[in-house]
């Protein structure tokens, strides 16, 4: 079974990829060994995040369109519960996106967030590696920028694109600070709104200190995703960022963080947090609770 | 050695506590077993966080004063690099705080942040447990609310107090969103400023949705820490919050998170992240890099 899936993935067979993802999600015995045999893929991972309503899905749709028109293969992972890729979406959006489901150069997969509050899917690193091995040119991970997931996406993505919409000009500061810190590229979507120019100007001013710190200017790109305006510029900025960082120390650190998280995940795999909590709750009812005594049976 | 320290801690000897903390920080062999023999302490942990300049240290000073005047024993851990408890502080503040260093009912310790960017000290859970075992009535952990540390403190503290200062009234929204989400209690310090009332009003409005979600009103307390105004009210709010949550499921989850992190820490103890990165960087120069192949030697 695993050998067949591996062959399929090397042949860039999307059905083999889909099945592999399901097996990994369900931790079918042998999946860890299977993952270790994957060919290394070259595709960089582009994280797209931002507040609800910023138009992330429409932007992803436009990016797919841009890259597919250049004969590129695009894989999309969606971990945004409010996204049209998932349930609970407005019908119009879902229909629009569904055109890609049968396109041979496009692969879209939604992940149910599972377990940890606000965190990314526990197997998201594995799943992006599967997509890299399947030979996509571009991999997009879309996630809504709330809770902790936007910090985690910055640890997964080679390029983090933060999507915002222009609000009344002087309210640029209402943007969640966490989003400012992780952006490699800013997209101001819906930039045909009258207040867009002032918003972009304020955003650039806010980014100036970061510029002095990192010595790399953070691009701010204006788009109207529904009209595909600004999309070639965005695709270009993403590609530039990725070719500039591919051999960099930052990429070494990204891979180290991924390795660290994977090792941690495997090593904690035998513990169910819910059960752990029940044990602790039961013990606390009986006796004075010593955290360090309690964990001894897990650390030997 | 360990037996002597344990006896000292049970006798509430601060020198034994100070030495134990140093041994734990330096991971002197045997410290894990030592920790597992600690008596369970009852003191709740109060986290104090907020942006630089909000007056956190002055507030901590005033809280110590309040509790000490009621014959309580107070332990303070400071993981804020800009705090007067640490170096780099303005001289006046440092002198003011130093009065506590010789007080028999007050213990103050600064922790150098080590390793992980923006994270809390890796042994902070151990160290707070040591303080709990030493029989303090109140334990305060002060940390500056930047980066990820304010999210981590909410996982450590039984009560998280977020300290802010009034800005021009309509700019309450500039507050870092992460801080809004973790607050059990808000303190508006320097509330003798003219814009304070409008700021508090706006803050309460912003907190209203959270109120509907949690069905617990988040107290907003006005203080002028330099004049000790509002401090009894703050101490009271902290004590109320802690007695209300002590037997709650939230406390079970807090302890579960602490247990989880400790187990994780012990299980990852053999890996040095810097070395991991060097290995990865060296491998990437030689060959196509397979993350899952690479981690195999760490997961068996």
């Amino acid at each position: 079974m695993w050998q067949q899936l591996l062959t399929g993935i090397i042949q860039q067979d999307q059905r083999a990829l889909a099945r592999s993802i399901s097996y990994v999600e369900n931790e079918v015995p042998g999946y860890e060994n299977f993952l270790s045999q994957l060919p290394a893929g070259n595709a960089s991972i582009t994280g797209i995040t931002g507040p609800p309503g910023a138009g992330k899905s429409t932007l992803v749709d436009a990016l797919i369109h841009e890259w597919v028109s250049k004969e590129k293969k695009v894989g999309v992972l969606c971990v945004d519960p409010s996204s049209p890729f998932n349930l609970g979406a407005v019908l119009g959006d879902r229909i629009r996106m569904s055109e890609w489901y049968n396109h041979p150069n496009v692969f879209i997969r939604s992940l149910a967030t599972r377990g940890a509050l606000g965190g990314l899917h526990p197997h998201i690193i594995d799943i992006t590696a599967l997509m890299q091995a399947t030979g996509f040119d571009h991999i997009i991970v879309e996630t809504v920028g709330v809770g902790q997931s936007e910090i985690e996406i910055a640890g997964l993505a080679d390029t983090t694109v933060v999507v915002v919409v222009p609000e009344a000009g002087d309210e640029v500061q209402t943007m969640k600070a966490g989003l400012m810190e992780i952006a490699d590229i800013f997209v101001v979507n819906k930039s045909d709104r009258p207040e867009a120019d002032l918003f972009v100007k304020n955003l650039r001013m806010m980014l100036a200190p970061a510029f002095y710190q990192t010595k790399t200017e953070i691009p701010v790109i204006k788009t109207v995703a529904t009209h595909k305006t600004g999309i070639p510029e965005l695709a270009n900025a993403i590609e530039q960022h990725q070719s500039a960082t591919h051999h960099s120390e930052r990429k070494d650190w990204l891979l180290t963080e991924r390795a660290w998280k994977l090792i941690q995940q495997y090593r904690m795999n035998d513990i169910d947090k819910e059960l752990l909590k029940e044990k602790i709750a039961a013990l606390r009812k009986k006796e004075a609770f010593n955290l360090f005594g309690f964990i001894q049976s897990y650390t030997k």
Side-chain angles (χ1 to χ4, degrees), chain A residues 107-121:
Chain A
F107 177 86
I108 295 175
R109 178 87 175 213
S110 293
L111 292 182
T113 48
R114 193 184 64 170
L117 270 171
L120 288 185
H121 189 280

Side-chain angles (χ1 to χ4, degrees), chain A residues 136-152:
Chain A
F136 292 99
D137 300 295
H138 297 284
I139 293 169
I140 298 173
V141 180
E142 182 199 342
T143 179
V144 73
V146 292
Q148 277 192 265
S149 59
E150 85 270 7
I151 293 169
E152 290 181 33

Side-chain angles (χ1 to χ4, degrees), chain A residues 152-177:
Chain A
E152 290 181 33
I153 196 135
L156 172 76
D158 298 284
T159 307
T160 302
V161 178
V162 171
V163 188
V164 291
V165 284
E167 307 291 345
D170 56 346
E171 280 176 27
V172 62
Q173 302 210 346
T174 65
M175 189 186 307
K176 195 171 166 186

Side-chain angles (χ1 to χ4, degrees), chain A residues 185-219:
Chain A
I185 295 170
F186 260 105
V187 166
V188 177
N189 194 27
K190 307 186 186 178
S191 66
D192 50 351
R193 290 187 182 175
E195 59 271 28
D197 286 340
L198 182 56
F199 183 84
V200 168
K201 190 183 145 214
N202 286 341
L203 183 58
R204 287 213 166 102
M205 267 174 53
M206 280 189 77
L207 290 171
F211 169 62
Y212 290 117
Q213 270 179 1
T214 65
K215 306 218 162 83
T216 319
E217 195 169 356
I218 296 168

Side-chain angles (χ1 to χ4, degrees), chain A residues 225-239:
Chain A
T226 48
H227 300 137
K228 304 200 165 54
T229 312
I231 303 302
E233 291 79 0
L234 172 60
N236 191 38
I238 292 171
E239 288 161 29

Side-chain angles (χ1 to χ4, degrees), chain A residues 14 16 44 51 97 106 124 128 154 179-180 201 242 250 276:
Chain A
Q14 293 198 4
S44 294
M97 293 310 306
V106 179
I124 196 162
T128 51
L179 289 178
M180 304 278 315
K201 190 183 145 214
Q242 287 169 353
R250 175 164 186 263
L276 198 68

Side-chain angles (χ1 to χ4, degrees), chain A residues 12-296:
Chain A
Q12 311 195 351
D13 173 6
Q14 293 198 4
R15 278 167 312 171
L17 173 59
R19 198 163 308 152
S20 303
I21 292 177
S22 298
Y23 289 171
V24 168
E25 274 194 284
N26 294 304
E27 302 180 356
V28 172
Y31 81 96
E32 298 171 8
N33 183 49
F34 165 67
L35 288 170
S36 73
Q37 292 172 29
L38 290 178
N42 270 323
S44 294
I45 299 166
T46 303
I48 310 249
T49 191
K56 292 183 294 299
S57 304
T58 318
L59 200 76
V60 170
D61 174 69
L63 267 177
I64 298 173
H65 196 275
E66 171 73 16
W67 278 325
V68 163
S69 74
K70 292 181 174 167
E71 305 294 320
K72 301 291 186 189
K73 300 180 73 174
V74 186
V76 179
L77 259 187
C78 183
V79 278
D80 177 351
S82 71
S83 159
F85 293 108
N86 282 301
L87 298 174
V90 288
L91 195 61
D93 276 346
R94 205 161 30 174
I95 289 169
R96 179 171 46 70
M97 293 310 306
S98 67
E99 71 170 287
W100 297 118
Y101 280 95
N102 294 316
H103 195 289
N105 287 351
V106 179
F107 177 86
I108 295 175
R109 178 87 175 213
S110 293
L111 292 182
T113 48
R114 193 184 64 170
L117 270 171
L120 288 185
H121 189 280
H123 286 293
I124 196 162
I125 301 174
D126 315 13
I127 293 168
T128 51
L130 275 167
M131 293 172 77
Q132 286 176 313
T134 312
F136 292 99
D137 300 295
H138 297 284
I139 293 169
I140 298 173
V141 180
E142 182 199 342
T143 179
V144 73
V146 292
Q148 277 192 265
S149 59
E150 85 270 7
I151 293 169
E152 290 181 33
I153 196 135
L156 172 76
D158 298 284
T159 307
T160 302
V161 178
V162 171
V163 188
V164 291
V165 284
E167 307 291 345
D170 56 346
E171 280 176 27
V172 62
Q173 302 210 346
T174 65
M175 189 186 307
K176 195 171 166 186
L179 289 178
M180 304 278 315
E181 288 153 19
I182 58 164
D184 297 309
I185 295 170
F186 260 105
V187 166
V188 177
N189 194 27
K190 307 186 186 178
S191 66
D192 50 351
R193 290 187 182 175
E195 59 271 28
D197 286 340
L198 182 56
F199 183 84
V200 168
K201 190 183 145 214
N202 286 341
L203 183 58
R204 287 213 166 102
M205 267 174 53
M206 280 189 77
L207 290 171
F211 169 62
Y212 290 117
Q213 270 179 1
T214 65
K215 306 218 162 83
T216 319
E217 195 169 356
I218 296 168
V220 177
I221 294 170
K222 288 162 71 176
T223 62
V224 186
T226 48
H227 300 137
K228 304 200 165 54
T229 312
I231 303 302
E233 291 79 0
L234 172 60
N236 191 38
I238 292 171
E239 288 161 29
Q240 278 203 344
H241 181 263
Q242 287 169 353
S243 67
T245 54
H246 186 71
H247 295 288
S248 69
E249 207 187 342
R250 175 164 186 263
K251 181 89 180 193
D252 290 335
W253 272 119
L254 271 177
L255 289 168
T256 305
E257 283 299 330
R258 284 181 213 163
W260 182 269
K261 276 182 195 157
L262 282 171
I263 297 166
Q264 212 171 41
Q265 184 181 307
Y266 287 133
R267 288 184 176 187
M268 297 296 280
N269 218 3
D270 57 316
I271 312 181
D272 180 310
K273 219 179 217 177
E274 190 73 45
L275 277 178
L276 198 68
K277 187 214 132 198
E278 280 167 27
K279 275 192 197 175
I280 289 175
L283 276 174
R284 287 182 70 218
K285 283 189 186 120
K286 280 195 299 190
E287 60 195 31
F289 179 73
N290 178 308
L291 196 57
F292 300 92
F294 174 74
I295 66 164
Q296 292 251 314

